[in-house]
Amino acid sequence: MVELKTDRSIDEMRAAGRVVAHALAAVRGSARVGVSLLELDRVARAVLREAGASSPFLGYRPRFAPVPFPAVVCASVNDAIVHGVPDGYRLRDGDLVSIDCGAKLGGWVGDAAVSFTVGRARAADLRLIATAEAALAAGISAAVPGNRIGDIAHAIGTVCRRAGYGIPDGFGGHGVGRSMHEDPGVPNEGPPGRGMRLRPGMVLAIEPMLIAGGTDDYTCDGDGWTLRTADGSRAAHAEHTVAITADGPRILTAL
């Protein structure tokens, strides 16, 4: 079931989204060669704590996971696509990092992700990240009343495929509200004009995930969480929580 949020609820979700935006900005600002992924998680925890927010990631355990998620951010490096578990790995020159973060404030959830490089960037990584951001922007532009979920999926997939990138099969965005994962699912590829019709009050996490090698295949690490490209190529992830309104899409997790 899809819950339509009121204007007041969307304003309250914006407060949660702003916490996410600040946490991502703080993590990105702290990410440099030699800093560990656990240290980046601590940076995000401090932002959430100062804002009086909790983490919808910490302790989350969906059916596929062997253990609850142990951190407040997903930290995915290089060939890790999503759901990377922060550990003692220390960032190296040229690493491509994707950070996914959520916050719950006043009973409402915000969820967003950003990819960036550390130290000297590879041109190919910058192109991959730029394409992920362009795909996200295309998906957001399609998130208007009267369109369908398939229009968002088609917009994202078109940008990714035209650039020659893969899209991990079976992973995409989702509804957001009182919980981090709500209906409807938002695929990252598909035919336009299909699926649920978009209505004002729907709030979606739109999140393209790109595989540089062009395949859609992935593997899962022994931790039961971290997804990696099957071909060892790099990956990028971009995400915003977006409200569908009569005036157009409203990004709730922007600074």
Side-chain angles (χ1 to χ4, degrees):
M1 186 179 78
V2 176
E3 177 191 4
L4 298 180
K5 281 72 174 179
T6 64
D7 290 345
R8 178 177 177 178
S9 295
I10 291 173
D11 286 341
E12 292 173 348
M13 291 191 71
R14 169 58 177 149
R18 191 175 286 112
V19 175
V20 175
H22 284 296
L24 288 174
V27 169
R28 184 170 187 169
S30 300
R32 57 187 179 274
V33 174
V35 172
S36 75
L37 300 183
L38 283 172
E39 289 174 294
L40 296 183
D41 184 67
R42 287 197 287 269
V43 168
R45 288 176 189 248
V47 174
L48 267 60
R49 184 169 56 250
E50 184 176 350
S54 61
S55 170
F57 288 20
L58 184 62
Y60 179 61
R61 188 180 183 183
R63 286 174 295 184
F64 68 79
V67 295
F69 196 76
V72 304
V73 299
C74 297
S76 306
V77 181
N78 296 332
D79 64 333
I81 307 167
V82 287
H83 303 163
V85 178
D87 57 16
Y89 176 84
R90 294 191 177 276
L91 295 174
R92 301 171 184 173
D93 189 42
D95 277 348
L96 193 166
V97 184
S98 297
I99 301 292
D100 192 352
C101 184
K104 190 166 189 178
L105 185 68
W108 296 103
V109 173
D111 184 10
V114 63
S115 293
F116 53 87
T117 57
V118 175
R120 292 169 293 182
R122 302 180 183 182
D125 288 346
L126 295 178
R127 177 176 177 267
L128 179 65
I129 293 168
T131 305
E133 293 172 347
L136 175 58
I140 292 171
S141 293
V144 295
N147 272 0
R148 294 183 179 271
I149 291 291
D151 295 311
I152 297 175
H154 180 71
I156 292 170
T158 297
V159 172
C160 297
R161 295 301 188 187
R162 282 180 177 171
Y165 296 129
I167 301 169
D169 186 42
F171 284 85
H174 48 87
V176 185
R178 295 285 184 183
S179 299
M180 179 168 57
H181 292 134
E182 297 184 352
D183 291 333
V186 186
N188 283 329
E189 187 174 31
R194 302 282 185 87
M196 183 178 294
R197 191 172 296 280
L198 305 179
R199 299 168 57 190
M202 293 175 68
V203 181
L204 308 173
I206 300 174
E207 50 177 325
M209 307 162 199
L210 283 63
I211 296 174
T215 72
D216 299 349
D217 300 327
Y218 58 87
T219 62
C220 186
D221 281 4
D223 60 22
W225 281 99
T226 307
L227 301 185
R228 295 189 185 276
T229 62
D231 61 3
S233 65
R234 296 195 169 196
H237 179 203
E239 177 184 17
H240 271 308
T241 297
V242 180
I244 296 168
T245 79
D247 297 322
R250 181 182 177 189
I251 301 174
L252 303 182
T253 45
L255 278 175

